Amino acid sequence: MAVTVAVLIVGGGRAGLACARALSFRGVRPLLVERRTFPLDKVCGEGLMPCALPCLRQLGLGELSGHPFCGIDYLHPRLRAGADFAEGPGQVVRRLELSSQLLSPQVDTWENTRLLGLRRVGDWMEAETSRGLVRARLVIGADGIHSKVSQLMGWLGHRWAWPRRWGWRQHLLVPPWNRRVEVHLARGCEAYVSPAGPDRVGVAVLSPKGPRRQHWLEAFPELRERLAGAAPASDLSGHGPLCRFPRRIHKPGVLLLGDAAGYLDACTGEGLSLALQQALWVADHWSPSLGLTQLPGYGAFHRRLTRAYKVLTAGVLLLSSQDRLLRAALELLRQRPALMQQLLSANQGLLDWKRPLLELLVRLPARWLGDLIADTRMAQQIGGAGRQPADPQVTDGPMELTLRV
């Protein structure tokens, strides 16, 4: 016997739970299927940017048991550039806590349930699950980068060859030493240190090294030394490879949400706020229908919402792969903290990203060229100091000694 619902949500992560909760506020009782058991954890930095907090309040989550952070610091050997958020502090919230808070009693949930098949039958979508058949007017795929919904619809795009990175995360029992999130930079990888509580920090690493857990901090010797001896407060978890975009994200009766709708990288920390805004948009625009649910404006909305994220994330990835360019950008931002603050706001979609990015691109070549000239002169001075003048009294031939009496 098939179960009939208006909306079926596949995936019980932050995007799926938020969408289910938002729909329940509008009188819809969706069915949510998840292959794991609640509450769910996720490998991420766990930081909620200031723009995500109003979205959570709209979902009835005004008070979260998190730890505040007031901005971002980027660190490179002998360089530090950072700024506070203009909009106020963000929150570091454990994903287990957020998953528990987003669960709603007004949502039917099937745990430990896998999606096996998906097809269109007349005016319905039929989903074959490990617990039986489900008929729905709308199926929402909120099941992450490697989305089963996207795969069954034939939308799953190829992974990009660049950048091909993995994520690692662990909590360590050491008091936070910075009221901002620290981003330690090395060639092609970053380590994010978040104040996860009064007695612990969360450490997340994005790296091209892949599934080599014993080497997850090898690119950050100073950070590794600082954390040496700290007791773990959670298991070391990994996820990847990252970066995948589906061929499409919507057609009548099916829609992709959150990371399933496209994921470039986690280096700018915007994944959760984007997922929450998508979930709220879907709930606001959904309406009951006699046929397959159609949301024709979703594609345009998604492109507008994610444009700044894609541009700025691609820029950070480019800088991370070019050490000299990265140092020049950090030195420029160190001297101009107001520009750094504007970029943080633009990354959240709270400020037009074109103006601060244009200012950075105009000023960066001069900064990069100045650093190049300085490095060249230093190399010439070091090389000159290493060359000793020849001693005219020293010869390579045999030495004659004449004694005069």
Side-chain angles (χ1 to χ4, degrees):
M1 184 69 179
V3 175
T4 301
V5 295
V7 180
L8 170 66
I9 300 174
V10 181
R14 53 198 182 176
L17 288 175
C19 190
R21 190 179 182 90
L23 285 168
S24 71
F25 286 173
R26 289 152 179 82
V28 186
R29 192 175 184 94
L31 171 63
L32 187 148
V33 299
E34 167 55 45
R35 61 184 178 86
R36 295 166 292 175
T37 303
F38 292 110
L40 303 183
D41 203 357
K42 181 180 179 179
V43 178
C44 62
E46 300 184 321
L48 300 177
M49 295 295 192
C51 65
L53 302 182
C55 296
L56 290 174
R57 284 193 287 270
Q58 292 185 54
L59 293 171
L61 304 183
E63 296 294 332
L64 294 172
S65 57
H67 196 80
F69 68 102
C70 64
I72 308 290
D73 273 338
Y74 285 92
L75 287 81
H76 194 268
R78 299 179 301 279
L79 272 176
R80 178 188 290 261
D84 288 346
F85 296 120
E87 301 78 21
Q91 288 273 332
V92 177
V93 181
R94 285 295 310 271
R95 283 298 174 262
L96 290 170
E97 171 70 16
L98 187 60
S99 177
S100 298
Q101 292 290 326
L102 283 171
L103 274 171
S104 171
Q106 305 303 317
V107 175
D108 296 321
T109 56
W110 288 1
E111 298 177 285
N112 304 308
T113 303
R114 292 183 176 274
L115 178 66
L116 305 176
L118 186 63
R119 60 185 178 272
R120 177 177 177 176
V121 179
D123 290 334
W124 295 88
M125 295 300 300
E126 289 190 351
E128 185 68 39
T129 75
S130 56
R131 288 186 56 172
L133 186 67
V134 180
R135 301 171 73 235
R137 297 295 190 186
L138 175 64
V139 175
I140 297 177
D143 46 347
I145 302 173
H146 314 293
S147 169
K148 185 69 173 180
V149 172
S150 184
Q151 177 187 344
L152 291 173
M153 294 299 296
W155 298 349
L156 201 59
H158 298 291
R159 299 189 188 98
W160 288 16
W162 177 89
R164 189 176 176 84
R165 307 211 298 174
W166 281 257
W168 296 95
R169 189 216 58 200
Q170 188 172 37
H171 298 91
L172 299 170
L173 291 175
V174 57
W177 58 86
N178 195 337
R179 61 194 183 95
R180 297 172 178 170
V181 168
E182 287 189 353
V183 183
H184 296 255
L185 300 164
R187 188 175 182 87
C189 52
E190 309 90 45
Y192 301 78
V193 183
S194 307
D199 63 343
R200 68 193 61 199
V201 297
V203 182
V205 170
L206 293 171
S207 168
K209 292 294 184 180
R212 296 166 52 189
R213 68 173 54 233
Q214 67 273 25
H215 302 301
W216 76 297
L217 281 177
E218 66 178 357
F220 312 97
E222 294 181 4
L223 179 60
R224 185 175 54 192
E225 182 179 352
R226 182 161 199 166
L227 297 174
S234 66
D235 294 332
L236 176 63
S237 303
H239 182 64
L242 308 177
C243 189
R244 170 166 269 171
F245 288 92
R247 295 185 179 91
R248 63 185 303 172
I249 62 173
H250 171 61
K251 69 179 297 185
V254 184
L255 177 146
L256 299 181
L257 194 72
D259 294 347
Y263 192 84
L264 180 55
D265 198 86
C267 61
T268 53
E270 279 305 291
L272 179 55
S273 62
L274 294 175
L276 293 176
Q277 291 176 74
Q278 292 168 38
L280 291 170
W281 189 95
V282 170
D284 287 340
H285 291 78
W286 182 89
S287 60
S289 61
L290 297 178
L292 295 174
T293 300
Q294 301 188 46
L295 296 170
Y298 181 66
F301 162 77
H302 188 273
R303 286 191 296 273
R304 290 194 306 270
L305 179 67
T306 59
R307 187 174 293 122
Y309 156 74
K310 292 175 182 177
V311 171
L312 295 174
T313 299
V316 171
L317 291 171
L318 176 62
L319 290 175
S320 180
S321 65
Q322 304 292 326
D323 189 68
R324 193 187 300 277
L325 196 61
L326 175 62
R327 287 191 290 114
L330 288 179
E331 181 62 32
L332 177 61
L333 293 174
R334 184 186 66 82
Q335 296 175 358
R336 296 180 175 275
L339 176 58
M340 177 72 182
Q341 189 177 71
Q342 292 172 16
L343 287 169
L344 292 178
S345 296
N347 180 55
Q348 300 176 71
L350 304 175
L351 184 71
D352 185 7
W353 56 271
K354 300 182 187 67
R355 182 174 178 179
L357 185 60
L358 180 61
E359 182 177 349
L360 178 65
L361 293 177
V362 167
R363 297 181 183 276
L364 187 56
R367 179 76 258 178
W368 174 82
L369 185 58
D371 289 348
L372 178 62
I373 293 173
D375 290 348
T376 303
R377 287 177 177 173
M378 184 177 295
Q380 291 173 346
Q381 291 173 0
I382 294 174
R387 292 193 297 270
Q388 299 295 330
D391 188 347
Q393 297 180 353
V394 177
T395 63
D396 294 333
M399 180 181 293
E400 257 187 44
L401 181 61
T402 304
L403 295 178
R404 292 186 180 179
V405 181

